[in-house]
Amino acid sequence: MYKLSAGIIGILIAIMVAINGVLSKGVGDYKSVLIIHIVGLISISLILILKREKIKIKENIPLYLFSGGAIGVFTVLFNNLAFNHIGASLTLSLGLFGQLIASVIIDHFGLFNREVIRFEKKKIVGFLLVFVGLVVMVVY
């Protein structure tokens, strides 16, 4: 179930990047990010209202954990900028490679209070295959 959800996330991200990029071309980079996040705020607010969930924030949550919203703003902005210059496939491919590198570092060192999952040398083959694929995409 979770692997299927992850696959669906990939499809949704590709659609989102394309739609956001076209919006950005029409209204501008910064305005599109604002519109996208306002629509997101309205959407999640409606979901919370429909589910009748109250917003409860625990007192001992580290402040850095609230930075995801700001990271989201820059993610959308950089996606829009890249999409309009290098297209959807290269934007997503390079973005996924960046996620791959960052996630391995997070897992290996157990950053953000996560369980440590050490990097195994046998995974280098996968990294090289992805990297070679990116080189082919960039060159051709």
Side-chain angles (χ1 to χ4, degrees), residues 101-117:
I101 299 296
S103 63
V104 165
I105 292 168
I106 291 167
D107 282 348
H108 184 76
F109 295 105
L111 302 178
F112 309 113
N113 294 322
R114 301 294 304 161
E115 174 187 346
V116 172
I117 301 171

Side-chain angles (χ1 to χ4, degrees), residues 3-134:
K3 291 179 182 175
L4 175 62
S5 294
I8 292 170
I9 288 168
I11 293 168
L12 291 174
I13 288 173
I15 294 168
M16 178 192 72
V17 166
I19 289 171
N20 290 353
V22 173
L23 177 65
S24 175
K25 207 170 203 173
V27 300
D29 295 324
Y30 300 109
K31 291 176 194 169
S32 68
V33 173
L34 178 64
I35 292 167
I36 290 161
H37 282 84
I38 288 173
V39 171
L41 175 63
I42 292 168
S43 300
I44 195 62
S45 296
L46 289 173
I47 290 169
L48 289 171
I49 290 167
L50 291 174
K51 291 185 67 122
R52 293 186 167 105
E53 288 192 25
K54 295 181 180 178
I55 299 174
K56 298 176 185 175
I57 299 175
K58 296 179 181 179
E59 293 179 23
N60 58 351
I61 296 176
L63 283 178
Y64 74 88
L65 292 179
F66 293 96
S67 66
I71 293 170
V73 166
F74 288 107
T75 300
V76 171
L77 178 62
F78 294 152
N79 268 317
N80 290 352
L81 292 169
F83 174 84
N84 286 317
H85 291 91
I86 62 175
S89 60
L90 196 52
T91 296
L92 288 168
S93 298
L94 291 167
L96 286 172
F97 190 70
Q99 289 177 39
L100 181 64
I101 299 296
S103 63
V104 165
I105 292 168
I106 291 167
D107 282 348
H108 184 76
F109 295 105
L111 302 178
F112 309 113
N113 294 322
R114 301 294 304 161
E115 174 187 346
V116 172
I117 301 171
R118 296 281 180 216
F119 181 77
E120 299 175 19
K121 289 181 183 178
K122 64 184 177 184
K123 292 182 180 181
I124 292 175
V125 174
F127 274 80
L128 289 175
L129 286 171
V130 172
F131 184 73
V132 168
L134 280 172

